[in-house]
Amino acid sequence: MRRREKKNTGRPREDFSEPSTSLSEARLSGCNAHGPTSAGSALSWSSFLRREGVSRQKKKALCEAAMLREVPQSLLVAKMLLFLRNDEEEEGKDSEKSGHSILCFCSRAFVEDRKLYKLGLKGFYVKEEENSTGEDQVSEDEEKEQKHDIFNTADLPSDSRVPEVEDIELDSETELMKSMGLPLQFGGAAVHKTIMRSGNTYKRNNKVMKKKKKKKNMLQKDILEIMKDTLEEDHETEDSHSLADDPSLINKEVDEQCENGEVKLDGMNEKWEIYWGEYGEGLLWKSWQEKQEDVDSELLSISEPWDNPEMKEKWQQHYNELYWYYWEQFQYWANQGWTVDVAHSSPKINKGNLETKEEKTQNIEIDDEYREVPDSNFCPLASVASCECNPIKNDNQCNIDILTEINKINLNSEEAEDSKSETMVDSNDSQGLYLTNMERHCPCDSSQSKKSDEGPKEENTTSEYGCSNPAASQVHSTGGGGSSHNNSDGDEQPPEQKPVRLKRSHELDAEEDAQADPDEVFGFLGLKRGTGQRYREIPGFSERRVTHLNRNMKFKSKLLDMRRTIKTKNKHIFFTEEPEVGVFKTSETLNKVERFLKQVNEPQEETSQDKTVHASTSSDSEEQENSVCSQNNPDVQNYELVLPDSNSSRHKGNSIEEEKLIIAARDCNSEVPVEEVEKEPCSLGRELLPLDIPDYLQMKTEGEVKPMKKKKNRKNKKENRSVPSLPPEIAADPELAKYWAQRYRLFSRFDEGIHLDREGWFSVTPEKIAEHIADRVRQSFKSDIIVDAFCGVGGNSIQFALAGKRVIAIDIDPVKIRLAHNNAEVYGVADQIEFICGDFMKLASSLKGDIVFLSPPWGGPEYTTAEVFDVQTMICPDGFEVFKLSQKITNNIVYFLPRNADIDQKQHGLSMH
Ligand SMILES: C[S@@+](CC[C@H](N)C(=O)[O-])C[C@H]1O[C@@H](n2cnc3c(N)ncnc32)[C@H](O)[C@@H]1O
């Protein structure tokens, strides 16, 4: 596409193929000068704006829509002039004068660029004369005349209306066709050239037209010359005939060709002549009546407007507009390969021989028997005219058929769209064309529809399909009758040969909903529309006030928000060759769970008796019973149910310390075997139960339900882990098995070599809690050395070290010390920790440190049942003694106690405050 150029002369270059952002007023006013104007667009752009009170300066702002001003009425659904007003602006302020106006032309969605192009939204570029001056800036009235003149060019002597041929640029489509050596009748301008041949017909039909000749017509009267010139070039190229200087030779040759049945480029023209001769009158009158109805019903009483002095000029204009409109339509649709059903008075042409009317009548029946041509390359024209279409070689032959088929075309595109399923009506009606079924489909479609009536077999064959290559098919060739009987027996076509409807590029029928409630649609767009009123008596216009309710609607609607990225998960579904009916693939996770449960189940049966005893002895609280019951049940669901059950409501809203105490209390309350308790009364004190940790302390541990966003990290972590198999000692102990499932909660780097003994599993401080404590300690004390008096397997010591402290880790159990050292190495902090195996009660007096951290065993499960946890008696060794010894090291003591511990408890006047 070319952008219009602007020269100092101010004369607009006439190429409206592309909107210009710098359209001058002169251009604006000249917009109507060219091209076939819509039959229904009685109101010109400039007039419209003038009526709207939009100043010429304001027009510029609306120029973007200029190229659409001549959208034919059949395509134009609505025009809207929007006056925008800011909320801040005062009520009643004339928004028209405030300068925010948008003119919207709403057309049917299926309008194609090509179609607009063909309809005249493209101009022809004419070089300006060197001596062009401002006189070329014409008034609108002059333009009107100018516009009128363009339709009279056929009546003008050729020497007076023909611009310099070399001044005219052919459209790119034609040039492309030429460069490829293809027939130009399928190109853009080449279509126009055929009108050259129809000069005589045009004259006959256009006797009432004025003849005017003005200098500015040089801008507009080039169409015929272009065609003539192109035709001459074609002849030079194809036939080596020089006809350039003698148009009469061209016509002569055309006549000869017709006589010889060798219709080439002129076929289209002849067909048009026949078409227009047959239907033009009816079309003109019908359209005229409609127009006058809109304007003034009294005018309808004028029976012969062409003879009425007042109406004559209007009639002439009407004639021009309609003639060219239908001519364009004719050319376009024919070149698109579109045809319509023909059942009535269809002039048959066979290889260039026009039939007489009598013959037409005889052929009606034959036409009625057109049948579907089931091939994507089907040549719609060939079916009629014995055309063995070859894309290049036989294109002319295909052209011949256009004439036949054009009688079947409904050139009213609006109706063509709206009445796809309408049946044909009698074309003997004076408005036959309008009443003709105007489906856009190949000729066979009509027969298809007829066939569909005959039986269900044909119902699935679409009545619309694009014929992408009108001249490509060699599918069928019938005899002189020209009608295709292909598949007339009703045999169903193989699937690959069934016609397929090709969707047109801009067609949005799936999205369009003509029945949609406008209010709903407006609402969807965040708008509210007011009531409509006829707008200044302009036909087809209504005025409504539209309120913008929601400015951010585009961001609130999924459909409107263009920023939204649609996340789609690539999911591959594989199908095996062998159908696996009833076989469902389980996920790897599910498999793991199943394996785990299997392992858990086996030892569970062996120890269930012990646990029952233990449960009855460890606690008589309902909560614990539930917990124990759940633990006794190896079912994974019950296992998981333990988690929320143990999270009783009284725990909610507790501080972190309280939560830790809750955890600790439950630990001690858990099912410690009686014999073990007896053997080591102080060894187990804090058995951990799962999920007693507030959310913000939750670890990513296996078996927990985590938000989706964390899944990826977890997956990555897990990928790095070498998943160890369930250790035998864990598998052998169902109580430990549930902790195994939470191993990453205890140590996030568990798989890197963390080791725990049985007591360690129950008593270790979960990593997140230990981290939190260490953080609190770091914040509270600036000192470096911390004594972890009861270090166990190192849960707290490691986090202290990670917090930057140096740690003296003490435990009475050498196994614990060994495990703690190992685990500290896993975390890379072993060198920050001094491990001492011994009794803190004995070592305390000789220890030096800045802070003492105390997490002694809490003495068994009783601590949860006690109303008050007695620090002195329930901790082993004596909690008060521990505290007092710690005071010998430092007064910075951190004591990890159950939440029901009485921190105000005093012993011999000593308190822990
Ligand atoms: C609750 S655990 C400590 C858990 C530790 N905070 C952790 O995170 O792993 C109590 C530990 O104190 C140890 N212990 C018991 N009596 C002790 C004593 N008199 N001196 C030192 N350690 C003792 C036990 O062996 C046990 O490992």
Side-chain angles (χ1 to χ4, degrees), residues 64-80:
E64 291 295 334
M67 69 166 290
L68 288 173
R69 80 205 179 284
E70 296 197 30
V71 173
Q73 193 68 27
S74 59
L75 302 179
L76 192 63
V77 175
K79 293 178 184 175
M80 294 188 296

Side-chain angles (χ1 to χ4, degrees), residues 36-55:
T37 305
S38 158
S41 58
L43 190 65
S44 73
W45 165 258
S46 294
S47 304
F48 174 72
L49 294 178
R50 196 166 54 248
R51 284 194 196 185
E52 296 300 314
V54 178
S55 69

